[in-house]
Amino acid sequence: KAGVTQTPRYLIKTRGQQVTLSCSPISGHRSVSWYQQTPGQGLQFLFEYFSETQRNKGNFPGRFSGRQFSNSRSEMNVSTLELGDSALYLCASKVGSLNTEAFFGQGTRLTVV
Amino acid sequence: TQLLEQSPQFLSIQEGENLTVYCNSSSVFSSLQWYRQEPGEGPVLLVTVVTGGEVKKLKRLTFQFGDARKDSSLHITAAQPGDTGLYLCAGEGSGYALNFGKGTSLLVTP
């Protein structure tokens, strides 16, 4: 059974640009969550999607957005990149929203220069 | 926000030693999870504890959930270099989100 796949693994962008990250969850999992991980703040929740609907959003500015497709694949977008957006972005899939056990992808390492 | 405090923040030990790391909160959780994350990888789920006072064993790792379901501990017996990584605890926050502690970074040297 394939795990959670995130693409790309590494990305370097310039301040002011935008970026789109992709996540394919485990087959059969309908919930996809996104987290930002930095050395200072640890893992912070960005948002969760279930059946193409955003169920919850963390305390991040509107520059951070996402969506989920009918096949449960998800994308997140960050516009007008800032240096502070440099982080490891992790996607987690769950069978359903009420399940607590999350399975993470390897993450996308975003560097903003 | 239900905060999870993990201690110690860093731990460096020799192979064969025992260690315990802690995860504490002032809030009650319906369950807590422990993850291990290796550099450049995503966290991998180790265990979920659900019942207050519950003890779960995974080979040399022993996980305990506090009676009041506000804290948890992870004990590793005879640590090995392969145990090196960031150990994270997580509990369910509001609206299906997981709240994570900042983790304990463990280094086991041969």
Side-chain angles (χ1 to χ4, degrees), chain A residues 9-10 33 35 37 40-43 45 48 55-56 88 90 94 97-98 100-107 109, chain B residues 9 30-31 33 35 37 40-45 47-48 56 86 88 92 94-102:
Chain A
R9 288 291 311 275
Y10 303 94
S33 300
Y35 292 82
Q37 186 176 28
Q41 298 298 320
L43 272 114
F45 173 75
E48 191 225 3
R55 300 292 292 272
N56 193 18
L88 181 66
L90 292 160
K94 298 187 293 183
S97 280
L98 297 181
T100 54
E101 297 182 341
F103 298 87
F104 284 84
Q106 292 178 301
R109 170 72 63 184
Chain B
Q9 189 176 359
S30 56
S31 66
Q33 296 154 38
Y35 293 81
Q37 184 178 23
E41 303 291 331
V44 174
L45 179 66
V47 78
T48 300
K56 280 192 173 179
L86 179 67
L88 296 157
E92 189 174 338
S94 61
Y96 316 113
L98 280 175
N99 286 337
F100 282 85
K102 292 192 176 180

Side-chain angles (χ1 to χ4, degrees), chain A residues 1-60:
Chain A
K1 193 174 187 182
V4 179
T5 303
Q6 290 189 246
T7 56
R9 288 291 311 275
Y10 303 94
L11 208 47
I12 300 176
K13 289 287 188 179
T14 305
R15 272 182 300 174
Q17 287 187 312
Q18 75 163 12
V19 66
T20 299
L21 312 181
S22 179
C23 172
S24 293
I26 293 171
S27 178
H29 286 198
R30 296 167 63 189
S31 166
V32 173
S33 300
W34 289 89
Y35 292 82
Q36 181 196 65
Q37 186 176 28
T38 58
Q41 298 298 320
L43 272 114
Q44 294 187 288
F45 173 75
L46 281 157
F47 27 67
E48 191 225 3
Y49 287 88
F50 180 81
S51 293
E52 302 179 66
T53 301
Q54 186 180 91
R55 300 292 292 272
N56 193 18
K57 191 178 192 316
N59 189 25
F60 279 83

